[in-house]
Amino acid sequence: MAERGLIRVDAAAIAGLLETLVAIPSVNPTLVSGGAGEVEVARCLARECARLGMAVATEDVAPGRPNVVAVLPGVDPTRGRSLMLNGHTDTVGAAGMAAPFTPVRRGERLYGRGASDMKAGLAAMVGAVAAVLDAGVRPRGDLLLTFAVDEEDASIGTARIARTRRADAAIVTEPTGLRICVAHKGFVWAAIRTQGRAAHGSDHAAGIDAILRMGRVLQAVERLDRDVLPRRSHPLLGRPSVHASVITGGEGPSTYPPSCTLVLERRTLPDETADDVREELETLLRSLREEDPRFRATLDVTLARPGLEVDRHAAVVRSLHDAVTRRVGTPPEYVGLSAWFDAALLVEAGIPAVIFGPSGGGWHGEEEYVDLPSLAACAGILAQTIVDFCGAPAV
């Protein structure tokens, strides 16, 4: 054990594991055709957890896309609480990066695709367990490390974990700058399809232009985002939003387009549901139909994920708060983040979840990095939280 009763972490080993993980491409193949997927990173993490003596299961969620679940059984589960640490193994693509899978250290930063989002969090999870065991501590409650596929697309990995695994609480180790994230936005993806009628470009009487009709939809969406959504607000997250993401339509210059499809993303506050957004958009389309009886459009909600808001007095938040204060010397900052995280799926399944991870930058960008001192601090904070939340002899 370290000075002042803190659990000592092996910062060099944690950074070394992060370098190994960054060097293994795990680009989400749903997002990028030919992406390597998560299988090799999963194998690496499974080996590391097995080396620590954890019971490791590898579970395919889709062909060649395995989750890894590693369990350190508690020595007295009836007197301790179970804790899940969760992170995702996939990354976005690496377009524009010269050597995305060659980890590079510059000062106290480590660069590479996935360094911050979120292989640093994965390394911190493993490093925290190693630190607890090296300190001679065995938690009373079960400890689960869950490494999930596909967070960068549809989160099928954590969705599976939420259905099949239970814990009294969870920490998702996405990068938060050592701040405690207790709220984040959700999202709804929707497709609106306007209907026209194909005809020769010279036949004005027969043709109905679906693309021009989509222009009315775009104007209505702009009014929704400009005039309506700013009336709602959350103290940590601000206002909700909507934007046009993708638009397709038309068959050729001399043909009236018979259809046009618009994909929208609506970012939601924690108290907004997919049904709320569906009704909001249906109301928008109804108003356009009332203005023009020939207007035809359909709406399809293709994917929805809930927002998150966690009670700051929840046991896992209190344990994390105390661990940060003890390790850093000052109480943590509480934040809300606009991005969506897998924590919401765990909460939806009845597992209280909070988000906490190291500092970094360049998510999805050409210069992605993690701050190495914060990585070691994160692992130490997680180790202390494990001891406090799961129950163990005082350290």
Side-chain angles (χ1 to χ4, degrees):
M1 297 182 192
E3 296 177 2
R4 296 187 294 122
L6 298 179
I7 296 176
R8 179 181 291 114
V9 299
D10 189 337
I14 297 168
L17 175 56
L18 175 57
E19 287 182 315
T20 298
L21 295 175
V22 170
I24 302 173
S26 59
V27 173
N28 189 311
T30 306
L31 296 177
V32 180
S33 179
E38 304 92 344
V39 64
E40 291 302 326
V41 162
R43 287 173 179 161
C44 175
L45 291 165
R47 287 194 301 269
E48 289 294 320
C49 292
R51 185 180 60 81
L52 294 174
M54 304 184 77
V56 180
T58 302
E59 306 167 348
D60 275 354
V61 183
R65 305 190 69 183
N67 283 346
V68 176
V69 179
V71 180
L72 184 67
V75 295
D76 188 1
T78 61
R79 297 180 59 204
R81 293 176 293 203
S82 57
L83 179 65
M84 177 190 297
L85 304 184
N86 171 273
H88 67 85
T89 52
D90 63 321
T91 73
V92 295
M97 301 180 75
F101 309 115
T102 301
V104 174
R105 296 198 194 199
R106 299 179 198 157
E108 294 186 326
R109 293 178 174 180
L110 187 141
Y111 289 79
R113 174 56 81 229
S116 180
D117 184 16
M118 63 163 294
K119 292 179 177 179
L122 309 182
M125 290 161 58
V126 175
V129 177
V132 169
L133 296 177
D134 288 345
V137 178
R138 191 66 181 251
R140 292 192 179 99
D142 294 343
L143 175 64
L144 295 80
L145 302 189
T146 58
F147 304 101
V149 302
D150 195 51
E151 188 271 351
E152 297 291 1
D153 184 49
S155 292
I156 61 175
T158 294
R160 170 74 65 84
I161 289 164
R163 291 194 303 269
T164 59
R165 302 286 174 164
R166 307 312 304 162
D168 291 317
I171 301 172
V172 176
T173 61
E174 292 269 15
T176 65
L178 300 181
R179 302 170 300 172
I180 299 178
C181 175
V182 293
H184 68 66
K185 290 181 179 179
F187 67 87
V188 175
W189 292 347
I192 295 175
R193 183 175 182 268
T194 51
Q195 299 167 354
R197 184 166 60 221
H200 192 277
S202 65
D203 194 350
H204 178 269
I208 298 177
D209 191 331
I211 293 177
L212 284 181
R213 278 154 178 75
M214 186 61 77
R216 302 177 193 174
V217 176
L218 289 169
Q219 289 178 328
V221 169
E222 183 180 23
R223 289 193 296 271
L224 173 66
D225 189 63
R226 183 190 63 218
D227 301 333
V228 178
L229 298 185
R231 300 172 192 167
R232 308 169 196 167
S233 186
H234 183 279
L236 291 177
L237 300 173
R239 52 159 287 180
S241 63
V242 62
H243 72 272
S245 303
V246 180
I247 189 166
T248 55
E251 297 179 352
S254 291
T255 302
Y256 275 83
S259 67
C260 182
T261 300
L262 171 68
V263 177
L264 297 173
E265 181 180 68
R266 170 73 155 79
R267 289 283 168 161
T268 58
L269 299 181
D271 63 350
E272 295 181 305
T273 69
D275 286 341
D276 293 335
V277 174
R278 184 191 300 275
E279 178 56 31
E280 179 181 80
L281 296 176
E282 289 285 12
T283 299
L284 180 152
L285 295 178
R286 276 197 300 271
S287 68
L288 295 176
R289 294 187 192 102
E290 291 169 0
E291 293 172 4
D292 179 3
R294 296 209 310 167
F295 180 85
R296 297 285 184 273
T298 58
L299 170 69
D300 183 27
V301 172
T302 57
L303 183 67
R305 297 298 189 203
L308 170 78
E309 186 155 27
V310 179
D311 185 354
R312 296 191 190 191
H313 299 292
V316 67
V317 178
R318 293 200 309 270
S319 291
L320 192 54
H321 177 106
D322 291 345
V324 173
T325 304
R326 192 171 177 185
R327 194 96 195 178
V328 177
T330 57
E333 180 184 357
Y334 287 83
V335 296
L337 298 174
S338 292
W340 187 86
F341 301 99
D342 276 354
L345 294 178
L346 300 173
V347 170
E348 195 174 42
I351 303 172
V354 67
I355 304 155
F356 179 82
S359 303
W363 301 9
H364 299 199
E366 295 182 12
E367 288 260 309
E368 182 177 356
Y369 69 90
V370 67
D371 175 76
L372 291 174
S374 79
L375 174 61
C378 177
I381 291 163
L382 292 176
Q384 198 68 47
T385 304
I386 291 167
V387 170
D388 179 55
F389 186 83
C390 296
V395 295

